[in-house]
Structure formats: structure tokens, C-alpha cells
Amino acid sequence: MATSPNSPTLRSWIDIPPTSDFPIQNLPFGVFETDERGPHLAVAIGGYVLDLYAASQHGYFEDLVELGDAQPKVFRRRSLNAFLRLGRPAWRAVRQRVSEMLRHDAPELRDNEEAVRQCLLRQTEVRLLRPIKPANYTDFYSSIEHATNVGTMFRDPANALLPNWRHLPIGYHGRTSSIVVSGTDIKRPNGQRKAPDEDLPTFGPSRQLDFELEMGFVVGTGTALGTTVPIAEAEDHIFGLCLFNDWSARDLQSWEYVPLGPFLGKNFGSSMAPWVVTLDALEPFRIAGPVQEPAPLPYLAQSGEHNFNINLEVALTPAGGPETTLSRTNFGLMYWSMAQQLTHHASNGCNLEAGDLYASGTISGPTPDSLGSMLELAWRGTRPVPLADGTERKFLLDGDTVTMRGYAEKEGIRIGFGEVTGTVLPSE
Amino acid sequence: MATSPNSPTLRSWIDIPPTSDFPIQNLPFGVFETDERGPHLAVAIGGYVLDLYAASQHGYFEDLVELGDAQPKVFRRRSLNAFLRLGRPAWRAVRQRVSEMLRHDAPELRDNEEAVRQCLLRQTEVRLLRPIKPANYTDFYSSIEHATNVGTMFRDPANALLPNWRHLPIGYHGRTSSIVVSGTDIKRPNGQRKAPDEDLPTFGPSRQLDFELEMGFVVGTGTALGTTVPIAEAEDHIFGLCLFNDWSARDLQSWEYVPLGPFLGKNFGSSMAPWVVTLDALEPFRIAGPVQEPAPLPYLAQSGEHNFNINLEVALTPAGGPETTLSRTNFGLMYWSMAQQLTHHASNGCNLEAGDLYASGTISGPTPDSLGSMLELAWRGTRPVPLADGTERKFLLDGDTVTMRGYAEKEGIRIGFGEVTGTVLPSE
């Protein structure tokens, strides 16, 4: 019986500091290129990437029948999508094999200097690309604290949650074309906005640019149009999770969104982290979600642990200035689980596709220092947020860099998500 | 100087009845396959498809420098997308050449029996496929009559249009995975719904299944993230137009759509026609749109003729029953033009992609017999629509087939769109 790649006793022959997001128990998937190589699929290990195409060419996956005849070419792609379509047995087989290759007592790769040189590259020497080509993108609204805060600010504190909110995971379709990888600058969008005290709308740079701290999950196994997904099987379709920043122009959004929802206030750019942490790697971090009251309808009812205990934080760094941590929260707080989101999404027969991205919506906690957007942190501009450089923010300024980080931790093992970061450029 | 493929004096050596949607002046693009062949790109001509891959292999496009080294493989694809990426010079060159090949006085193809056998297939003998793989899909809400009707029914007849409606073309992102080609059955979706007189939502088959008569336009030339499209250049990005049915489950939609817009009430299926009529072929049918009051902001201001005079109709055929025409309207009525929609969409820097689909929203006219949805025709169920078989409808029943047709006509030339049709299957 092979050792589980999640076993806390595993250690690697690669030197990995204990603060690294990428110990041997993690092995998240991504895509990279260099001037000479790629794009190739890769796994993160410590400060390195393991080039899966190179490893495949060196024969390390030769006996993985789960890959069929897809290798090595499935690893020489610009996105994980083709690999995702191979299905969970293939994802698991590769992660298991990579784990075996990197164990401290496995000489096969460790002692092959030429193979190490070909397969392992420092992360600082590669360009990490957007890991998937998002087939479809849906953004949910599943944090009860966030939905309550927004309802309190913009509607009625006594009836902050809309009548449908506790009955179904509210979501909307987002734009796939403008989803970019971490590190991509975000240009402040122009657009129409009309403040309540203005008679007419004007067109110009957004005056209320914001971030939204989110997690996204990537679907690996699709469904056929007209079929549904029983809630007990929902997680079978999920490949993994990543950090996600749903940049938002609040002034554009509030002018345009009635009655058909967010549109240009969102689709100028969304940032995803380069690493997708597998659901398998997160198994040790399952927790129960909040009690749902009223109980969801039967098709959404689930018991057991379907939330994940993932610490999250968001930080802001002004141009040249020191970083300020704005907020710390936890993904485990989400009212609606990913399984419920997925089952609801497919409940009308809507087909899922490999490479689909489903984001959580802003993740806010119950306290003022655990809020996932500037809108909430500065409470609609009424309580500006102080920064370490002595300035304050109601919304984002040009030059501001927003960085989100996340990790799960247990028994000394830290399963990290890397970071998703982006800098605001001035509008044109 | 080559004769314009739009010239009304052109006629083909193929026998084309005057009622055909596909005279030599049209030449819309699509994709087909048979048991032995394809998928290949094609052009419709009368009752035939001209197989572009076969034509390319026979050398008919050999001297089209606009195709570069893309042929013949660009014509052996499951979608138009790769062809779209070649750009307008390539689209025009192929349409021009096909026009020349099919002219009554052009012997090159006409007199080559073997080539005719290879290149021309009866439409009844091929399967027409979804012509594009939609890269992104946005649905607008640009008929002032439709928006007014909905506002009157669900909000306030005195203030039917929301404050933003006359200032910008309202739109939202839709789901690409569930866009299917005409002829695909549509399964009645299950979902959550709660009527105003019910205390709690229930889950089950939609009781208010509807169609929406729309036109979609296909973007052929994309843009880079962070760039915009001046309104004078917007039409340069449009490849062509097609009929579109945005099936809608009104009960699901009304329960879920506040505050983030339509979601499961729409994404169980949308139908597009198999033929995309080029914007070039529609040049003779330009008309001015309605006067816009107040005048749009400068970035949306346009003069000249940017609407298109296209007659539209929708018909319903119960299982086994005769067809009833439900409505006749015209695409020229749209308040917001396609150019305005596209420029608005890109005004925040959102990038467009080849293969993007942008639908108009329901196209309703000003009279009770020109409404584009059952919701409006039966006025929220208060005035059931009589059918030719003696039954009546408030919404769609299982077994109902909805068929939409459209054509532009001038100087005896009819540029038709074929049809988009679909039959409602019972839910599971």
C-alpha cells in the first residue's frame, strides 16, 4: 500500500523551509514557461517547480496507466484543462507519483543529476501562467457576513439578507476573458457612474475601485447538458482550489446592476493565483460549515464536513510603501459549501465543463478586522482604513498593490495557496 | 473591379427558389458534418451547403492570400472560431470567391461534375452544428418595448424603465456551456421557485417556461485587455448575426435574480441558429434606430444608420398540432445598437474574443402581436394566447416546439437567417 501523499510524516530530499506554502504534502498544479521552455504543466515543491513534461519525458510517469496515451503531450499545454479532462484517477496517480519521486528516501530522481537539472526549476526563474483556461466562470455570494454587510449598508439593517439568500446559493455568471494570473497589473476602469446626489451619470475613471477576497474552485469532471449532480457526488467533480481576487468598481456596479446584476463593474479584470491546490490535499482540513437555518431543500441537504479550514488574509502595499495587513478571515465560515454551490448550479441541467471556475464571493468574517472588501472595511467610505505608511484608504488608489494569501495548517503541516497579487494602474 | 457579392443582379447556376433564405447575395457561414465527412465549415446556398474544406482542397481558394497558410485546415474544424481569428480580409475574400464560384456565368465549379459532387451537399443530408464555440456570451436588454413591458408588469407602470436604462445598454453575462444549435431538444428545468402567495420555496419542474426572441452577433476580431473600442470602429469587430432563443424559466428567474441577476432561470439552455449571416451581407439593410432621448454620453454617441431592418417572427407548434405564428416584429426597433453594445462592453477595458456571442435581449415591438416572449404575449398569464389547435398558452407546455425565423428583404432579394427551433421535453 502506497503512503498517502497527505501523510504528515513525509519529508522531501528538497530543502523546504517550514514556512513554505509548498511542502511535499501539498503538490499543487500550475503552468509555467521560461524563455527556453514551455508552457508546461508543473507542480510546486518548496521554492521550485517540478516540470511535469520533463518528468514525463524522463519516463517517471511511464507506468501510470491512468494517463493512457495522453502523456507527454498533456503536460505540454498552456493550461491544465486537458489534464483535468483525464479525470480524478489521472490527477491522483500523478500527485502520488510526484510525491514518491520527492520523498527523502527516494533516490530515483534525487540521485539523477541530469534529471534534476531538467525537471526542477526555481520558481523565481519561471513565469507562472494562468493555470486554467476558464471554460465558464460563476461567482457566488456565499458568505453570510458579506451578504449581511452589503444589505445593511445599501438596504435595510433590519432586513439585511434578501428573502432568497438562506434558501439557495445566489450566484451569477462572470466574464472568463478577463481572468488573469496573479502579478498582472489591473488598469483602473473607466465607466458610467452616478452618485445618488448627482442628476446624471458621467463617464470616467472609477472612483471606488475595490478588491474582493475570494476562493475559487476548479471543476475537473464535467457533466452532460440536462443532467444533475446529487449533492453526495458534488465534490467528485472538483479538482482543486485557488485564491481569487474579484476586483470591483463599486460606482460602476451600483449604477448598472439593477436589474440584471454586476457587469462592467466586474469584468475589467479578475485575478487568480497560479497554483491550484487539489481537493485531495485539503482532505485533512475538512470542517463543518455553519448551521443552516432554515434547513435547505432536500437537493441541497448535506451532513458531515464539507467546509475547509483555510486561513486567509489580504494586504495592501502602496507604491513604495510598506505592506499593511487589512484583514484576516477563514474560508471555513462560508454559509454555502462548494458542494452545495455545484449541485445547485447543475440542478436545472446546466452542464459543467472541465476548467470551469466557481468563485465563492467575498469572504468576510464576523469582526471588523475580518472583512473581505474595502467596501466593508471602510464601511462605504465612512471609516477610512489606516495604513502603515500613515495614509488611509476608502477605496484603492493608483499604485496600490493588493495581495491575498491563504493556508491550511495542522500537525505542523502547512498547505499553502501561494498568493494572488495585482497592482492598480491609472486609467487611460 | 469585382462585382459586389451583395449586388441584386447576381444570380447563381444553382436553382434557388425566390422564397429561399439563402440566395447568392447571402452566403452565411456555418459548420456541418455527415457520417462520412466533417465537421467542416460551409456556406449556405439555396437548399445546399458548400463545403469550404472540399472547395479548398479543390484549389478554389488557392490564390486567396488573405488565408495565409491557414487553409485547408481552418475549414476542417468544429467551429468558425479559427476562421474568425483570420480577420475580416479573410472573411471577405472567401465570401467574394464563393460568390464568384456560384455565379450563373462562372463555369469553373459549375461544369466540374466531380467538384460539384464533392463540394455541394443538400442541407437535408447534413447535420448542421453549433457554428461557433462561444468564447464568452453576454445577453443585453436593449428593446425599450420589452424593458417597458417587464417594468410595467413587475414594478410600476408609471416608472416602468429603471433610471439607468436610457443611459447605457444594460447587459449581463450568460452561460456558454449550454448554448446549443437549433434542433436540440430543451428539457424543462427543475429549480427553486416561490410564488408571491407561497410561504416557502419548493423544488420542481418550472411552471413558467418561456422563450425569448433575440438576435445574436458574433465577434470576429477581439481586443486586448485594457483597451477600448471607439464607437466608429465597433462594427469592424462584428462578423455576423444569427437568430437566438434565450429560453427562460420565469419562476426560477423571479425567485433567484435579486440582487445578482438571471442565473439558473436561463442557463439550462439557449439555442442559436446554425447560420451566421455576415454583417457584410446586411449592409443594404441599414436603417436608423429610434431617437435616443436623453442623448447618450459621448462614448456611446453615434449618427447614421446602425440598426438593421430584419423581419422576425416566432411560431409555436404543439406536439402533432399545426403551427401558430405568435408574433411578428423587427430587429430595427432596438433602442441600443450593436455598435453601442460592443463599445459599452469594452469601455472598461474588458477584452473581446473571437467567437464571442452578444445577444440583443428579447425583441418586442409596440403592439400586442409583436411581443417577443410568452411572458409579454400572455401578459404574465392574464391573457392566454390562443393557438390554431384550439388550445391556449400562458407559458410553454411539454411537447411544444418554438421556431423563430428572420429575413431582410429589398429589391426582391431576401437575406434570410434560416430558423432556430427547439422542442420542450418534460423534466426528469
Side-chain angles (χ1 to χ4, degrees), chain A residues 133 135-141 155 162-165 167-180 184 187-192 194 200-203 225-228 252-253 255-269 294 297 299-300 344-353 356 358 428, chain B residues 133 135-141 155 162-165 167-180 184 187-192 194 200-203 225-228 252-253 255-269 294 297 299-300 344-353 356 358 428:
Chain A
K133 178 172 168 56
N136 302 270
Y137 159 47
T138 291
D139 194 23
F140 286 95
Y141 186 56
R155 286 183 300 269
L162 287 162
N164 54 15
W165 200 92
H167 293 281
L168 50 79
I170 295 286
Y172 67 102
H173 300 117
R175 179 88 181 178
T176 59
S177 70
S178 50
I179 297 174
V180 296
T184 307
K187 199 185 283 183
R188 180 181 298 273
N190 288 302
Q192 276 197 40
K194 190 186 88 61
L200 288 170
T202 54
F203 183 86
L225 185 61
T227 64
T228 58
L252 278 57
Q253 185 182 345
W255 172 232
E256 76 181 358
Y257 90 106
V258 178
L260 300 184
F263 185 44
L264 300 194
K266 300 277 193 176
N267 67 16
F268 57 90
L297 284 165
Y299 78 105
L300 291 177
H344 180 64
H345 207 309
S347 66
N348 67 347
C350 178
N351 49 332
L352 314 178
E353 295 184 321
D356 280 357
Y358 298 87
E428 280 179 0
Chain B
K133 179 173 167 54
N136 301 270
Y137 157 48
T138 290
D139 194 26
F140 285 95
Y141 186 56
R155 286 183 298 269
L162 288 162
N164 54 14
W165 200 91
H167 293 281
L168 50 77
I170 296 286
Y172 67 101
H173 300 117
R175 179 86 181 180
T176 59
S177 70
S178 51
I179 296 175
V180 296
T184 307
K187 200 186 285 184
R188 179 182 298 272
N190 288 304
Q192 275 197 41
K194 189 187 88 62
L200 288 171
T202 53
F203 184 86
L225 185 62
T227 65
T228 59
L252 276 57
Q253 185 182 345
W255 172 233
E256 76 181 356
Y257 90 106
V258 178
L260 298 184
F263 185 45
L264 300 195
K266 300 277 193 178
N267 67 16
F268 57 91
L297 284 166
Y299 79 104
L300 291 177
H344 179 64
H345 207 309
S347 66
N348 66 347
C350 178
N351 49 331
L352 313 178
E353 295 184 321
D356 280 357
Y358 298 88
E428 279 178 2

Side-chain angles (χ1 to χ4, degrees), chain B residues 141-187:
Chain B
Y141 186 56
S142 288
S143 157
I144 196 165
E145 289 80 7
H146 172 66
T148 303
N149 289 337
V150 171
T152 301
M153 275 186 268
F154 290 96
R155 286 183 298 269
D156 174 9
N159 296 287
L161 282 184
L162 288 162
N164 54 14
W165 200 91
R166 286 175 182 270
H167 293 281
L168 50 77
I170 296 286
Y172 67 101
H173 300 117
R175 179 86 181 180
T176 59
S177 70
S178 51
I179 296 175
V180 296
V181 71
S182 173
T184 307
D185 293 332
I186 298 294
K187 200 186 285 184

Side-chain angles (χ1 to χ4, degrees), chain B residues 370-401:
Chain B
S370 64
L371 303 172
S373 67
M374 194 63 92
L375 174 71
E376 293 163 270
L377 286 163
W379 207 254
R380 215 179 170 181
T382 59
R383 50 182 200 213
V385 176
L387 300 186
D389 71 352
T391 64
E392 58 182 29
R393 292 288 182 280
K394 296 177 178 177
F395 288 99
L396 296 173
L397 299 184
D398 294 344
D400 285 352
T401 298

Side-chain angles (χ1 to χ4, degrees), chain A residues 163 165-168 291-297 335-336 340, chain B residues 200-201:
Chain A
W165 200 92
R166 286 175 181 269
H167 293 281
L168 50 79
V291 173
Q292 295 181 315
E293 178 57 43
L297 284 165
Y335 188 86
W336 294 102
Q340 289 175 319
Chain B
L200 288 171

Side-chain angles (χ1 to χ4, degrees), chain A residues 59-60 69 82 90 99 122-123 145 151 207 270 286 313 337 341 345 357 374 422:
Chain A
Y60 288 108
D69 59 357
S99 174
R122 286 181 194 280
Q123 284 188 28
E145 289 80 6
R207 295 176 288 218
S270 314
R286 285 183 178 274
E313 64 170 55
S337 70
Q341 291 168 343
H345 207 309
L357 182 67
M374 193 63 93

